[in-house]
Amino acid sequence: MHIAEGYLPPLHAAAWTVAAAPFVLQGGRAVVRQVREDPESKLLLGAAGAFSFVLSALKIPSVTGSCSHPTGTGLGAVLFRPPVMALLGTIVLFFQAVLLAHGGLTTLGANAFSMAIVGPWVAYGAYRLTRSLGGGLGFGIFVAASLGDLSTYCVTSVQLALAFPDPTSGILGAIAKFGSIFAVTQVPLAISEGLLTVLVLRLLVRVSPGELERLGLLRRPGTTTEVGT
């Protein structure tokens, strides 16, 4: 999903940077508010960022000039809400571009828009919908992480199609082409990310039930049995 350095035309790269900037600034304020109101959540906040960094640092090359990998943003979106992940995800993408040459600085806005903004919002919406329909905590996390992952790649497909429309079928044809290429690798990756995120949540329930109660994931002490798919 990381669009490589210099791959997007300058106008597209600038437009995605402008589009992502307000969300990242809002994320900065959300992180400051979170830490100020609940200082004990800093470790969990760092764990959410590290989880996203490790998963999204994996590389499965794609012929589109991008690559496939899990995103790891669904967990943080459910724990801290999407605005927080807008900042954490952008920081993750920045360091991956600088330290790992994974993605790039000129494409940081486009990558942040897909992975740090749209993905977390879709994940959080899927989680809230699943829970409101009576789904368990574990199932809600699974759906959130999986759809957050897939939606990120859908946005990347649109970004690439807008930059490189198909000569005959135009932007819609290019979206279908890029989407089909990503789908081959991304569907199993999204399911795998969902299952892995459930396992991580089970661990958090065991070691940090108090933090999850304060964040609203556990409704009351002793409800760890909620976690299950």
Side-chain angles (χ1 to χ4, degrees):
M1 151 263 145
H2 290 57
I3 301 175
E5 181 71 89
Y7 192 77
L8 289 178
L11 183 60
H12 286 250
W16 287 114
T17 299
V18 171
F23 294 95
V24 177
L25 292 175
Q26 181 194 20
R29 291 193 291 269
V31 169
V32 170
R33 185 169 57 251
Q34 175 68 37
V35 172
R36 184 178 299 160
E37 295 176 354
D38 185 9
E40 294 184 14
S41 68
K42 284 189 287 187
L43 284 178
L44 202 54
L45 200 61
F51 183 67
S52 180
F53 183 91
V54 172
L55 289 193
S56 60
L58 303 173
K59 289 183 179 181
I60 301 176
S62 168
V63 296
T64 61
S66 180
C67 56
S68 292
H69 51 75
T71 62
T73 58
L75 178 64
V78 171
L79 290 175
F80 295 104
R81 309 296 184 271
V84 170
M85 282 312 297
L87 179 66
L88 291 186
T90 301
I91 292 174
V92 164
L93 290 164
F94 173 79
F95 280 107
Q96 287 175 345
V98 173
L99 302 178
L100 306 177
H102 193 20
L105 295 179
T106 61
T107 55
L108 180 61
N111 291 331
F113 195 87
S114 60
M115 193 183 96
I117 296 169
V118 175
W121 273 109
V122 170
Y124 184 70
Y127 171 77
R128 298 294 299 178
L129 179 61
T130 304
R131 296 289 280 159
S132 68
L133 294 176
L137 178 59
F139 184 66
I141 289 289
F142 170 78
V143 173
S146 299
L147 293 185
D149 180 311
L150 277 177
S151 64
T152 297
Y153 282 82
C154 289
V155 174
T156 302
S157 297
V158 172
Q159 291 171 325
L160 293 173
L162 289 172
F164 308 103
D166 186 85
T168 56
S169 56
I171 292 175
L172 290 180
I175 291 175
K177 180 182 69 176
F178 287 120
S180 62
I181 292 171
F182 279 132
V184 173
T185 54
Q186 203 55 37
V187 170
L189 278 177
I191 295 173
S192 300
E193 178 173 346
L195 294 174
L196 176 62
T197 307
V198 171
L199 294 178
V200 172
L201 183 68
R202 284 179 179 271
L203 176 63
L204 292 177
V205 168
R206 187 178 306 163
V207 302
S208 304
E211 285 77 2
L212 296 185
E213 289 163 16
R214 288 200 306 275
L215 293 172
L217 264 74
L218 296 182
R219 296 172 184 169
R220 60 183 182 280
T223 56
T224 57
T225 53
E226 273 191 284
V227 181
T229 58

